[in-house]
Amino acid sequence: MTAPDQQGSHPPDYDPRAFPPFAVTVDLAVFTLRADRLHVLLIRRGQTPYQGDWALPGGFVRPRESAGGAARRELAEETGLSEATAAHLHLEQLATYSEPDRDPRMRVVSVAYTALGPGLPEPRGGGDAADARWLPYGTQGPLAFDHDAILADAHRRIGAKLEYTCLATAFCPPVFTLGELRGVYEAVWGVELDRPNFRRKVLSTPGFVQAVDGPPKLTGGRGKPAALYRAGGATALHPPLLRP
Amino acid sequence: MTAPDQQGSHPPDYDPRAFPPFAVTVDLAVFTLRADRLHVLLIRRGQTPYQGDWALPGGFVRPRESAGGAARRELAEETGLSEATAAHLHLEQLATYSEPDRDPRMRVVSVAYTALGPGLPEPRGGGDAADARWLPYGTQGPLAFDHDAILADAHRRIGAKLEYTCLATAFCPPVFTLGELRGVYEAVWGVELDRPNFRRKVLSTPGFVQAVDGPPKLTGGRGKPAALYRAGGATALHPPLLRP
DNA sequence: TCCTTAAGAGTCACCCTGACTATAAATGCC
DNA sequence: GGCATTTATAGTCAGGGTGACTCTTAAGGA
């Protein structure tokens, strides 16, 4: 369906021409890894309602724009990254939230998106609102509106997608070590993984990662230097890498 | 986000008070099993545009209704089932489709839902539009609007969820045989599964199915009578039942 | 030099799975 | 009543994937 027909099954009290007007927005659950911890991008509200509370970044969908387009635009604005850089971030539709009273001011339907990226810089570049900041996931207090539910859904979704897709590489820079990749799983799942087993699994999955040829190694601070890899072409993970 | 603040990062040409009005609808991809084949519920459009074409059932979200509520209401109306019966069908949000020109008449954002049920009766009960019918999945021609994409997404989603959830029981009546359950997988995936292996997998997964106690057996037409089961309490499938 | 840390190689047992065989219990056709 | 057909159910067996573990290598720091 899009616009239903004039005739049809609608109750007599309902005139499709006078379709109820909705505002449509996008909300962004942007995740990144900073210092081996999962962080979320939050903004502090400068207006009532929920003034002073933290909330997910987002904004209106414009008249000639798709929700995905709006999400990508807001992502660039709110993270302060260049449009070109932001265009490389993994962006994925999560779900749509439409409870009638989720915004006390008016009827707003919001399409939520999840975005992932490697260690992103502090926000603020976009010249954005009062306060925007990366907070370690789990340390944020109650968020405005239904954003707690959205954020929890987003976290659940990426945790699940790590199991059966190659999504983890979206958290990594173009070239990374297997230790960094493992750090993604550990940060999102909140567990420790066995190093050798993780390595075996990743390397035995065709197309998950791809060894970087010439420059042999590099150090991550301490320990033996690690080989470098880039994301392979694969998108699915068969068989999956199940959570312990 | 819901309604963004008045101040903030929005470009100067954009006044949040004059938020762009959208129509919000729901579209339903309703699947059922009829004669061991996967069927989809489609309606024939009686109006331009796409007059005479098949389309997914759906309709407007009402002013004080959530999208999920609208989907459940439309589901009852379009399938012709009682509200009580329709309330038992598995209903799940799929995704939101928002390309600006997906409906040539006006700006419509549609939240798509997937619904599943055991062999459902012929539609029409709802006193609905011109023509509503179950069509074997795959035999439908091009659908109106972007409904081909929605339907394909829905089919991909349920195929994937069969792998790592107990969703298959949603296609079955309250009491069913393992043969019927296997038929769900075969119809959705379009493959044949090994009977003994499927049985072993299902029975060894705690909470997937639950043997029906007293009444021992029953026949499905030919062959040895099969034991009866009902859905267990489990929702996830660990480890998953992967597609061949 | 020794300790710590992390990468990377390798082993072993167990579980799950795919492939396959065999038996039981119903129907329908000679 | 035989007999083929169909489906359910039981059981076997080999191979792959995984968890748990050990060991070696290569860096940095005290």
Side-chain angles (χ1 to χ4, degrees):
Chain A
M1 243 295 162
T2 28
D5 300 338
Q6 262 66 356
Q7 41 75 252
S9 63
H10 304 100
D13 62 288
Y14 185 63
D15 174 12
R17 289 193 184 279
F19 66 89
F22 291 79
V24 178
T25 63
V26 293
D27 286 319
L28 295 175
V30 191
F31 292 98
T32 198
L33 247 59
R34 299 171 70 85
D36 288 333
R37 284 200 66 177
L38 184 66
H39 283 64
V40 200
L41 181 64
L42 294 175
I43 64 163
R44 194 190 288 275
R45 289 184 54 80
Q47 294 264 323
T48 176
Y50 299 103
Q51 183 166 21
D53 287 1
W54 292 96
L56 298 178
F60 281 113
V61 177
R62 295 181 180 169
R64 300 278 320 146
E65 184 181 53
S66 70
R72 192 160 290 290
R73 173 176 53 74
E74 292 286 346
L75 180 61
E77 291 175 5
E78 310 271 4
T79 58
L81 300 173
S82 70
E83 287 256 5
T85 309
H88 290 154
L89 297 187
H90 180 91
L91 185 68
E92 183 178 328
Q93 188 180 311
L94 173 63
T96 294
Y97 298 81
S98 63
E99 289 302 316
D101 295 311
R102 57 184 296 280
D103 187 320
R105 291 167 296 181
M106 55 175 158
R107 188 64 205 269
V108 178
V109 168
S110 187
V111 187
Y113 282 78
T114 300
L116 308 179
L120 298 173
E122 281 296 332
R124 185 61 50 99
D128 196 41
D131 203 359
R133 194 171 296 174
W134 292 109
L135 270 78
Y137 179 80
T139 68
Q140 79 282 358
L143 303 182
F145 305 107
D146 52 1
H147 291 188
D148 286 305
I150 298 177
L151 186 56
D153 288 347
H155 182 252
R156 194 175 310 117
R157 170 82 67 95
I158 62 173
K161 293 201 80 166
L162 287 188
E163 292 192 327
Y164 55 94
T165 71
C166 299
L167 184 67
T169 57
F171 276 106
C172 294
V175 163
F176 53 87
T177 69
L178 293 187
E180 295 178 88
L181 189 65
R182 186 170 41 83
V184 172
Y185 282 88
E186 295 182 334
V188 175
W189 287 349
V191 299
E192 288 222 334
L193 298 181
D194 182 80
R195 255 182 283 253
N197 291 341
F198 179 81
R199 173 188 188 79
R200 177 181 58 189
K201 173 63 180 176
V202 171
L203 293 184
S204 73
T205 300
F208 194 174
V209 297
Q210 172 186 353
V212 165
D213 47 303
K217 312 198 166 190
L218 176 128
T219 175
R222 298 195 284 280
K224 179 176 174 178
L228 295 177
Y229 298 86
R230 66 180 74 250
T235 157
L237 212 50
H238 265 3
L241 201 168
L242 297 178
R243 234 177 293 221
Chain B
M1 242 299 160
T2 27
D5 300 337
Q6 261 66 356
Q7 41 75 253
S9 64
H10 303 102
D13 61 288
Y14 185 62
D15 173 13
R17 288 193 184 283
F19 68 88
F22 292 78
V24 177
T25 62
V26 293
D27 286 319
L28 295 175
V30 191
F31 293 97
T32 198
L33 247 58
R34 299 172 70 84
D36 288 333
R37 285 200 65 178
L38 184 66
H39 284 63
V40 199
L41 181 63
L42 294 175
I43 64 162
R44 194 191 288 276
R45 287 185 56 77
Q47 294 265 323
T48 176
Y50 299 103
Q51 183 166 22
D53 287 0
W54 292 95
L56 299 179
F60 282 113
V61 177
R62 294 181 180 168
R64 298 279 321 146
E65 182 181 56
S66 70
R72 191 159 291 289
R73 174 177 50 77
E74 292 286 346
L75 181 60
E77 291 176 5
E78 310 271 4
T79 58
L81 300 172
S82 71
E83 288 256 4
T85 309
H88 290 154
L89 298 186
H90 179 91
L91 184 69
E92 182 178 329
Q93 189 180 311
L94 174 63
T96 294
Y97 298 81
S98 63
E99 288 302 317
D101 295 312
R102 58 184 295 280
D103 188 320
R105 292 165 296 180
M106 56 174 157
R107 187 64 204 270
V108 178
V109 168
S110 186
V111 186
Y113 283 78
T114 300
L116 309 179
L120 297 173
E122 281 295 332
R124 184 63 49 100
D128 197 44
D131 204 359
R133 193 171 296 175
W134 292 107
L135 270 78
Y137 179 79
T139 68
Q140 79 282 1
L143 304 182
F145 305 108
D146 51 2
H147 291 189
D148 286 305
I150 298 177
L151 186 55
D153 289 346
H155 182 252
R156 193 176 312 117
R157 171 81 68 94
I158 61 173
K161 292 201 81 166
L162 287 188
E163 293 192 326
Y164 54 94
T165 72
C166 300
L167 183 67
T169 56
F171 276 105
C172 294
V175 163
F176 53 87
T177 68
L178 294 187
E180 295 177 88
L181 188 65
R182 187 170 40 81
V184 172
Y185 282 88
E186 296 181 333
V188 175
W189 287 349
V191 299
E192 289 222 333
L193 297 181
D194 182 79
R195 253 181 285 250
N197 290 342
F198 179 82
R199 173 188 188 80
R200 177 181 58 190
K201 172 65 180 176
V202 171
L203 293 183
S204 72
T205 300
F208 193 174
V209 298
Q210 173 186 352
V212 164
D213 48 301
K217 311 198 167 188
L218 177 128
T219 175
R222 298 194 283 281
K224 179 176 175 178
L228 296 176
Y229 298 86
R230 66 179 74 250
T235 156
L237 210 51
H238 266 4
L241 201 168
L242 297 177
R243 235 177 291 222

